[in-house]
Amino acid sequence: MGEAAVRPDRRYEADAWPRTRRPLPWVIAGLLVMIFLIPFEAVHPKVSIGFSSDLDRFFVIALVATWAMTGLIGRQEAVTRLRSRGWAVGVMAFVFVAVASIAVNVDRITNLDEWATAQKRLAVLLSLVAVFVIVSLTLRVRELRSFAVLIAVLATITGAGTVYEQKVGYNVFYETARTVFSPVAIVDPAPTEISPDPNSPGRPQIVGPTRHGLSVASILGMALPFAVVLAAMETKLRRRLLWGLAACVIFSGALVTQRKSGAVVPAVALLALFVIRPRQLLRLAPYGVVALALGLAMSGGTISSVEELGNTSQGESTKGRTADYPAVVPDLLSNPLLGRGYGTLNSARSDTYRIFDNEYLGQVYQVGALGLIAFLALILTPLLMVRKLLRSDDPVRGPPALAAAAGCLAFAVASALYDILSFSPAPYLFLILAGMCTCAAGVEVPVRRRLRIQPAPVALPADS
């Protein structure tokens, strides 16, 4: 067999984002831009499409439509992408349990008039699943590093904007969105508040492009490993310093939110990197000390996020949250396997809403023990997919897989700190990272060229 039969076509290898005309990678890149730079939860288009018309729905619709059109009219590629067995088990299990929990609680949901909330949450879940499936099936291995660079750059911009917001009280993300989208959408005012009433128990509200400081701290913590891994990969000192500076900015953006997540989530992501690849990342230790000093300097020398770990001044908030735990026991016992129905927690209804500040407890409440197991499978599946790549020397697959896996671990920890699925940016980013893990663990098999073989002549029996 010729060389072309066992190696991918060179044109295929060169056709990788951003040097490509394929539309899907560009739509995925646009989705990442939306997550990091646009307060899409606050942007409401002035059109009605029969269901929730938030900005992210239009991005997902565009992504699905582009994927469908590409499948219908796209040319046959030189490589077949094979994904690891069981790559979608976690997602499929969680969706199945979510739908089942609604089905078995249909009478109660109807009586309590919770259909609107449940349908909206289920629509968000299906949007997240669509993003994960399309990213997993369409992303190419040679595009992983480019997307890693994009995530690090976008997170750096988000971190810088969040630090600026904390300094001057001006939310550049909301104001830019209001200017850009004002002809076609309504943009909610920014919830930024850097000088709250000192007599009130509230804290400053530093939100970046999200609607809560917890959310922006989570996406920055999940993106931090990409800047660190890119710094570790570089052989040139100048580029290593640039990526180190980017990591400083990202870390500072998380710290200035003055939330526990701003310290815990980035710390867990960094700890995961050093535990998995200690020798490769220990050489960054001197840079890390300098980076920590710069990060604190950028955030005004504040370590508010760290201080919050031991802060007891928010006791009333903690008591209000833990007071809900005994109250939910009857709901848990009534249906311990499937809960009271996915998406039925409505914060606008004080008579039924429970504050857990813990997504795992929230899942037990909504979808029971089976839902909790499925949610854990959703998080752990991409990590299992890349377990053999985390210490791999493959320069194409290894580093992006390591950064994406650390980001997924950061999401797992952030889920224990607040109801993370109620805020869309972190779940969207998590499922994109999960798709990158699936892609890294996949195999690209060259399509063998079909050989034109003339059929052998058929011998006819002789006449007797």
Side-chain angles (χ1 to χ4, degrees), residues 26 79 109 160-161 197 261:
W26 289 102
V79 168
I109 294 174
D197 186 354
S261 299

Side-chain angles (χ1 to χ4, degrees), residues 193-210:
E193 186 178 6
I194 61 174
S195 300
D197 186 354
N199 296 322
S200 66
R203 286 175 288 182
Q205 297 292 329
I206 313 298
V207 300
T210 66

Side-chain angles (χ1 to χ4, degrees), residues 372-390:
L372 176 61
I373 294 172
F375 184 63
L376 291 171
L378 172 69
I379 296 175
L380 295 178
T381 298
L383 301 177
L384 295 175
M385 292 292 103
V386 296
R387 64 187 184 280
K388 295 182 180 179
L389 287 173
L390 297 181

Side-chain angles (χ1 to χ4, degrees), residues 51-52 57 118-128 342:
F51 52 89
S52 179
R57 306 299 192 280
Q119 290 175 351
K120 182 176 180 180
R121 288 291 186 87
L122 188 59
V124 173
L125 177 59
L126 295 178
S127 298
L128 293 168
Y342 180 78

Side-chain angles (χ1 to χ4, degrees), residues 51-293:
F51 52 89
S52 179
S53 56
D54 291 342
L55 184 62
D56 60 311
R57 306 299 192 280
F58 288 92
F59 268 89
V60 174
I61 291 172
L63 182 65
V64 174
T66 305
W67 180 56
M69 293 298 296
T70 302
L72 291 174
I73 64 177
R75 299 178 179 179
Q76 183 179 4
E77 295 186 356
V79 168
T80 300
R81 292 185 291 276
L82 304 177
R83 298 303 177 232
S84 301
R85 182 179 300 176
W87 63 273
V89 167
V91 170
M92 293 172 60
F94 190 65
V95 172
F96 177 81
V97 173
V99 174
S101 70
I102 294 176
V104 300
N105 288 284
V106 61
D107 293 336
R108 191 198 58 77
I109 294 174
T110 302
N111 293 334
L112 295 179
D113 193 24
E114 295 176 337
W115 271 113
T117 305
Q119 290 175 351
K120 182 176 180 180
R121 288 291 186 87
L122 188 59
V124 173
L125 177 59
L126 295 178
S127 298
L128 293 168
V129 171
V131 170
F132 167 72
V133 171
I134 294 174
V135 172
S136 299
L137 293 178
T138 61
L139 204 62
R140 296 178 177 179
V141 171
R142 291 189 173 273
E143 294 174 332
L144 290 174
R145 189 183 189 280
S146 297
F147 274 94
V149 171
L150 176 64
I151 291 172
V153 170
L154 291 175
T156 303
I157 298 173
T158 301
T162 306
V163 172
Y164 182 76
E165 176 190 0
Q166 188 263 345
K167 297 295 183 183
V168 302
Y170 180 84
N171 192 311
V172 64
F173 305 104
Y174 274 78
E175 297 305 323
T176 302
R178 182 173 292 107
T179 301
V180 173
F181 293 106
S182 59
V184 295
I186 299 173
V187 180
D188 296 336
T192 300
E193 186 178 6
I194 61 174
S195 300
D197 186 354
N199 296 322
S200 66
R203 286 175 288 182
Q205 297 292 329
I206 313 298
V207 300
T210 66
R211 59 187 174 95
H212 200 282
L214 293 168
S215 189
V216 68
S218 297
I219 63 173
L220 290 176
M222 294 165 65
L224 180 61
F226 288 91
V228 176
V229 169
L230 288 170
M233 289 173 57
E234 287 295 344
T235 57
K236 296 183 178 180
L237 179 61
R238 182 175 63 87
R239 292 185 178 181
R240 182 176 296 176
L241 291 175
L242 287 176
W243 285 122
L245 179 60
C248 292
V249 175
I250 296 170
F251 187 50
S252 299
L255 283 180
V256 299
T257 61
Q258 300 189 29
R259 305 285 170 175
K260 294 180 178 70
S261 299
V264 174
V265 177
V268 168
L270 292 176
L271 179 62
L273 293 179
F274 280 94
V275 169
I276 296 171
R277 301 296 295 264
R279 288 189 297 177
Q280 289 78 2
L281 293 171
L282 276 177
R283 63 180 181 176
L284 295 179
Y287 302 98
V289 174
V290 178
L292 179 61

